[in-house]
Amino acid sequence: MHEVTILFLPITASIGFTRRAGNTRLVHPSLTHLLQQFPSILPTPKQLPVSTPGAAEQGLALVFGREESGLTEKELSLCTHSCSIPTGARQPSLNLSHAVCVILAQLYERRTECTSAASPAVVQQLPKQHQPASRKDVDALIHRWTELSRQAGLGGEDSVGGTGSHGRKRRTAGHIKAVLSRAQITTQEARALQGLCSALSETISTAEQAS
């Protein structure tokens, strides 16, 4: 009997696949386009060599919806990125198994192309403050900005109106969440924005006490 080792990696990014563009999210037209815009969510050996500490510890979640209805608006809002799979007008959607196969084939092709290439030169590790912020830090920052939005009287909901996943209007907190989720901010930028939140929160509190 062969032994099987299951390795659980910390998730640093997630891609929700959908064919509905909607009006409260940015949906990339293809996986190729998404990776061109945000290569750090699935770096190649040239972009992030194995010799770089932590390079082999990143996890990417691929999120697919139900066969009959796909992902809901709420489920897509939990993903850092949204992406569609290019199809023809006569067959605009794929069944679940075909969609998974298409994406896995693209990822396999990307991996084999990279591993068959010549070994890249070792890239000097970036200082910690310039490294991408962890998903935990980004989520904490989103929560902080949501609370600040609520404190400023703008509401803390991501979106309002509509029914179910349709016709909803994104609010300030939703825009902030979308930007921070896809911006790939650095550790230093995350700390700076946390500091800005603290300063704004204190200013609002002072104004409320004075009134």
Side-chain angles (χ1 to χ4, degrees):
M1 177 179 290
H2 297 285
E3 292 185 1
V4 177
T5 301
I6 300 178
L7 179 63
F8 294 94
L9 299 176
I11 300 300
T12 57
S14 55
I15 304 175
F17 292 92
T18 178
R19 69 183 181 89
R20 297 192 299 269
N23 60 359
T24 62
R25 61 181 177 274
L26 171 65
V27 178
H28 294 272
S30 68
L31 182 61
T32 299
H33 181 271
L34 190 158
L35 294 178
Q36 287 175 344
Q37 297 293 314
F38 301 97
S40 62
I41 68 173
L42 190 65
T44 66
K46 287 185 178 181
Q47 296 164 334
L48 187 59
V50 175
S51 57
T52 301
E57 300 176 0
Q58 300 185 51
L60 172 65
L62 305 176
V63 186
F64 296 87
R66 301 154 193 80
E67 185 82 46
E68 66 282 357
S69 59
L71 294 170
T72 65
E73 183 75 23
K74 183 177 181 180
E75 290 165 342
L76 283 167
S77 71
L78 297 176
C79 300
T80 58
H81 303 274
S82 297
C83 180
S84 63
I85 301 175
T87 56
R90 299 184 65 178
Q91 185 63 37
S93 63
L94 303 173
N95 63 40
L96 180 59
S97 61
H98 290 175
V100 173
C101 286
V102 168
I103 295 303
L104 292 182
Q106 286 184 276
L107 294 179
Y108 179 77
E109 181 180 11
R110 178 181 173 88
R111 179 184 178 186
T112 52
E113 283 181 349
C114 292
T115 54
S116 62
S119 299
V122 176
V123 178
Q124 183 178 1
Q125 185 183 5
L126 289 173
K128 183 177 181 180
Q129 66 268 26
H130 297 311
Q131 293 178 5
S134 68
R135 187 62 212 172
K136 180 179 179 181
D137 289 342
V138 173
D139 286 340
L141 183 58
I142 289 173
H143 177 73
R144 190 73 181 275
W145 274 100
T146 299
E147 291 302 312
L148 182 63
S149 178
R150 186 178 288 110
Q151 185 182 2
L154 300 174
E157 302 84 2
D158 288 352
S159 56
V160 295
T163 56
S165 299
H166 304 283
R168 296 185 66 81
K169 182 178 180 180
R170 179 174 285 180
R171 302 193 67 176
T172 301
H175 286 297
I176 292 173
K177 180 178 180 179
V179 170
L180 292 177
S181 293
R182 66 173 184 263
Q184 299 293 303
I185 62 175
T186 65
T187 301
Q188 187 177 50
E189 290 168 339
R191 287 201 299 265
L193 290 174
Q194 283 280 12
L196 178 59
C197 283
S198 298
L200 291 174
S201 179
E202 184 176 346
T203 299
I204 293 173
S205 297
T206 301
E208 290 176 344
Q209 293 173 4
S211 61

